[in-house]
Amino acid sequence: MRMEEKEKVSKNFIEMAIDKDLEEGVYDHVMTRFPPEPNGYLHIGHAKSILLNYGLAQKYNGKFNLRFDDTNPTKEKVEFVESIKKDVEWLGADYEDRLFFASNYFDQMYEAAVTLIKKGKAYVCDLSAEEIREYRGTLKEPGKESPYRNRSVDENLELFEKMKNGEFADGEKVLRAKIDMAAGNINMRDPILYRVAHMTHHNTGDKWCIYPMYDFAHPIEDAIEGVTHSICTLEFEDHRPLYDWVVKEVGFEQPPRQIEFAKMYLTNVITGKRYIKKLVEDGIVDGWDDPRLVSIAALRRRGFTPEAIRNFIELAGVSKAQSSVDYAMLEFCIRDDLKLKKSRVMAVLDPVKVVITNYPEGQIEYLDVENNRENEELGSRKVAFGREIYIERDDFMIDPPKKYFRLYPGNEVRLMNAYFVTCTDYITDENGKVTEIHCTYDPETKSGSGFTGRKVKGTIHWVCADECVDAEVRLYENIVDEEKGVYNEDGSLNLNPNSLTILPGCKLEAGLKDSKAYDSFQFVRQGYFCCDAKDSSEEHLVFNRIVSLKSSYKPKK
């Protein structure tokens, strides 16, 4: 009994509702769907909906559909359809052979509208969009009935057919449901079901010049496909009575049950399609997949993994209450996913040359280096070491402060996985900038040799100058300023001028020269990095920093 109670407590409110429906025989199976409009790229919030719907289908041995709600040809593109398919598949939500389009049901929707007209439940209205808004009333005052509300069934059938045949201009006529102009829910005040739009549709071409409204089409799509549980976000809660009215009046025997959950908001990121569209159009970002965005395509390009996103969605949970999730939690999830999977390699992002003056000229030796000290299964690799190496510019100071344990004149440090070296000299240019550092090494101090003669406090990473590869490295911060908020007072986006830092001429271990798109590594001390899928090539390697190594974020136990 206790175990059963524990299981009940761990279920979210959607699962409890589905359990009740199955127990009471309302449905004998579960079918869910993800129904995006193909008018932009998906973002992290959509990932929650995809994984929630797919996860429920998996949990109840049900089925999961991918369906494009493509009822608005003014904003839809094949590019968006293809990107959405790619995102859903990448996240691991398997819709098998169940890929559907609302536009495939346009004939059935037209027949459903005719059914409503014949029942006296729909009419053709000549009011303009502005007049319809005026007639609708307010939250406190009821609406007024359209002067065309009581047209005969025959007249409505004739006019609706003429609408379909292209005999009216855009906006000249609409088909409206006949419900209740005094309804407390404004969505029930004779909503528009069809409008005239002489537009070419990405899927149906020029077959139609009338298109169904989302609130009419959506419940019909669910009903046609046999969706049992229509899981959607809270803004559709007020639309539920209309959805239920449509499927009941059209005559579907087993209407879907709509259950709403809260959208997921991430702190200090931009998810709104119109804002991202503006960033793309203004050239502030280099496309919908710019790694500073949180579109699923952008997260994939930056180097996030489906596993990390799935863990993040699970940690965020499902709720009825609107809340924001800290972006640091998403970063925690990707670090947690990559830390045991990826090789830890050496990369110098701001290089300065070091010459080891007592190391034999022309000699290269290959040192054994573990790929990941926390995961022995990743094995080891050989790393070249020679007389000339590169180190990070900030790992050397001419006149260091106290407690600076890295390289400075007279000080000895450990070169990671190699030898102890002592700085003997340095060269600067006319501006005082260090251009070369001279050191000597102690052959007895080789890493792994068991040397215990003395200890040093500083260890620095390095790359062999004779065997390394050049790369461009990109460092990212959030695209909006975290301190000042997302928007300025005038409504414009408060952009962070440091959202992208490009570092050319970085020096990486030679083993990274064959890196392909999405290959990722931990760069020692620098963070996790991913080979860019868009700009990287054999001739010009580009790496994106996915995330830095450390965070103050701690997950709740």
Side-chain angles (χ1 to χ4, degrees):
M1 183 70 184
R2 276 183 194 167
M3 280 183 71
E4 280 178 28
E5 280 173 16
K6 192 175 177 186
E7 188 187 356
K8 277 183 187 173
V9 169
S10 68
K11 288 192 174 186
N12 64 48
F13 70 95
I14 297 174
E15 291 164 343
M16 289 161 75
I18 292 173
D19 285 347
K20 188 166 181 285
D21 284 345
L22 294 172
E23 281 166 21
E24 293 176 1
V26 179
Y27 306 103
D28 60 5
H29 67 289
V30 170
M31 178 176 271
T32 62
R33 82 290 175 267
F34 174 62
E37 294 176 71
N39 60 359
Y41 281 61
L42 302 182
H43 58 65
I44 187 72
H46 295 111
K48 178 174 182 176
S49 185
I50 293 164
L51 294 170
L52 174 59
N53 278 287
Y54 178 66
L56 290 167
Q58 292 288 99
K59 183 163 191 170
Y60 291 94
N61 296 314
K63 289 186 167 31
F64 166 79
N65 296 352
L66 172 60
R67 178 184 71 238
F68 288 96
D69 253 321
D70 56 347
T71 58
N72 184 3
T74 57
K75 295 181 179 176
E76 295 159 0
K77 290 183 186 174
V78 173
E79 174 196 351
F80 298 142
V81 170
E82 293 306 317
S83 76
I84 290 168
K85 280 162 61 178
K86 187 174 181 180
D87 291 345
V88 172
E89 289 161 10
W90 179 72
L91 284 170
D94 185 4
Y95 52 87
E96 299 174 301
D97 60 348
R98 290 182 304 283
L99 172 64
F100 302 115
F101 290 86
S103 51
N104 293 345
Y105 312 138
F106 279 172
D107 287 300
Q108 284 153 287
M109 291 176 194
Y110 180 79
E111 291 306 319
V114 169
T115 297
L116 291 179
I117 293 170
K118 286 179 177 174
K119 288 176 71 175
K121 300 284 185 172
Y123 62 95
V124 174
C125 181
D126 300 5
L127 293 178
S128 68
E130 200 175 309
E131 288 169 329
I132 289 173
R133 269 195 298 277
E134 285 171 14
Y135 275 56
R136 189 175 286 145
T138 66
L139 291 170
K140 293 179 180 175
E141 295 172 355
K144 283 192 305 181
E145 290 188 358
S146 164
Y148 307 101
R149 196 173 196 265
N150 296 313
R151 277 176 163 152
S152 69
V153 168
D154 288 342
E155 188 183 357
N156 282 319
L157 287 171
E158 184 186 340
L159 288 170
F160 189 49
E161 189 167 351
K162 284 182 174 180
M163 283 170 64
K164 182 190 76 161
N165 293 340
E167 295 181 36
F168 300 116
D170 291 7
E172 198 176 334
K173 286 187 172 20
V174 293
L175 182 73
R176 296 175 69 179
K178 189 188 282 190
I179 309 178
D180 179 6
M181 288 306 293
N185 183 336
I186 287 180
N187 293 297
M188 301 299 278
R189 294 182 188 174
D190 291 10
I192 298 169
L193 305 180
Y194 265 90
R195 80 280 199 194
V196 178
H198 293 266
M199 292 282 299
T200 301
H201 189 283
H202 75 95
N203 190 30
T204 57
D206 293 319
K207 179 181 175 183
W208 295 91
C209 61
I210 55 168
Y211 290 98
M213 300 300 285
Y214 181 88
D215 281 357
F216 177 65
H218 186 80
I220 291 175
E221 295 153 31
D222 279 347
I224 289 171
E225 289 173 19
V227 169
T228 58
H229 295 85
S230 174
I231 314 299
C232 61
T233 46
L234 280 175
E235 74 262 36
F236 294 105
E237 191 168 22
D238 290 343
H239 298 247
R240 193 196 323 147
L242 176 55
Y243 294 171
D244 292 344
W245 182 90
V246 169
V247 290
K248 178 172 174 272
E249 294 296 342
V250 170
F252 286 100
E253 287 180 10
Q254 196 178 45
R257 175 176 179 185
Q258 179 170 306
I259 305 171
E260 302 88 9
F261 68 95
K263 270 185 177 179
M264 183 173 67
Y265 292 97
L266 263 184
T267 56
N268 297 303
V269 300
I270 298 169
T271 52
K273 282 179 188 171
R274 66 193 172 105
Y275 290 116
I276 295 176
K277 189 165 180 270
K278 183 163 173 51
L279 291 175
V280 173
E281 287 172 353
D282 292 352
I284 293 163
V285 296
D286 74 354
W288 290 82
D289 62 352
D290 186 292
R292 289 167 288 179
L293 302 174
V294 286
S295 64
I296 296 172
L299 292 168
R300 178 168 62 243
R301 181 178 166 193
R302 181 148 169 186
F304 280 78
T305 61
E307 294 84 355
I309 292 174
R310 286 199 288 269
N311 291 342
F312 170 68
I313 300 300
E314 204 166 304
L315 273 177
V318 180
S319 166
K320 268 273 190 190
Q322 298 284 20
S323 62
S324 289
V325 181
D326 193 340
Y327 185 80
M329 189 164 97
L330 180 59
E331 293 185 320
F332 165 82
C333 290
I334 187 65
R335 281 190 200 95
D336 195 54
D337 184 52
L338 296 179
K339 68 182 178 186
L340 297 179
K341 290 181 181 177
K342 299 300 172 182
S343 294
R344 295 173 184 179
V345 300
M346 293 189 287
V348 177
L349 306 191
D350 185 10
V352 61
K353 186 172 275 191
V354 174
V355 180
I356 303 167
T357 53
N358 64 333
Y359 192 88
E361 284 193 45
Q363 178 177 305
I364 297 287
E365 63 178 305
Y366 293 90
L367 307 172
D368 285 312
V369 178
E370 286 177 293
N371 284 327
N372 187 324
R373 285 183 181 169
E374 293 178 62
N375 183 359
E376 289 179 8
E377 288 180 16
L378 289 184
S380 64
R381 67 190 185 281
K382 298 281 188 186
V383 176
F385 180 83
R387 179 182 169 89
E388 295 188 355
I389 61 173
Y390 292 105
I391 66 168
E392 291 289 351
R393 186 166 292 280
D394 64 6
D395 280 344
F396 174 78
M397 288 185 86
I398 297 169
D399 186 18
K402 283 184 179 179
K403 297 195 174 178
Y404 181 85
F405 299 123
R406 284 170 273 175
L407 202 58
Y408 54 87
N411 192 41
E412 186 174 49
V413 299
R414 178 194 298 278
L415 293 177
M416 191 177 285
N417 304 305
Y419 299 96
F420 289 9
V421 294
T422 303
C423 176
T424 57
D425 200 3
Y426 60 90
I427 300 169
T428 61
D429 62 16
E430 64 274 14
N431 300 315
K433 184 178 180 181
V434 175
T435 56
E436 194 170 282
I437 301 161
H438 292 174
C439 292
T440 56
Y441 88 117
D442 181 348
E444 289 186 16
T445 59
K446 187 173 181 178
S447 180
S449 66
F451 174 79
T452 56
R454 63 187 180 279
K455 291 185 177 175
V456 289
K457 287 187 173 175
T459 299
I460 63 176
H461 67 284
W462 52 274
V463 171
C464 178
D466 288 314
E467 290 196 23
C468 67
V469 60
D470 280 4
E472 177 184 303
V473 170
R474 298 172 180 177
L475 308 180
Y476 298 99
E477 293 180 11
N478 286 355
I479 199 163
V480 290
D481 194 305
E482 301 200 21
E483 297 298 318
K484 297 173 186 169
V486 177
Y487 304 110
N488 295 315
E489 284 182 15
D490 63 358
S492 62
L493 289 167
N494 182 24
L495 299 171
N496 174 6
N498 303 314
S499 63
L500 169 62
T501 303
I502 296 176
L503 304 175
C506 301
K507 307 292 182 182
L508 280 49
E509 279 186 33
L512 273 68
K513 73 176 185 301
D514 297 323
S515 298
K516 301 285 186 290
Y518 305 114
D519 286 352
S520 55
F521 307 89
Q522 185 192 117
F523 289 1
V524 170
R525 285 172 51 200
Q526 304 286 8
Y528 292 96
F529 290 77
C530 174
C531 187
D532 188 74
K534 202 169 185 176
D535 297 334
S536 192
S537 65
E538 284 181 30
E539 299 76 35
H540 180 70
L541 285 175
V542 178
F543 282 88
N544 301 319
R545 182 155 70 184
I546 309 166
V547 66
S548 59
L549 288 179
K550 291 182 180 169
S551 166
S552 57
Y553 177 80
K554 293 284 185 289
K556 291 173 185 168
K557 296 290 182 194

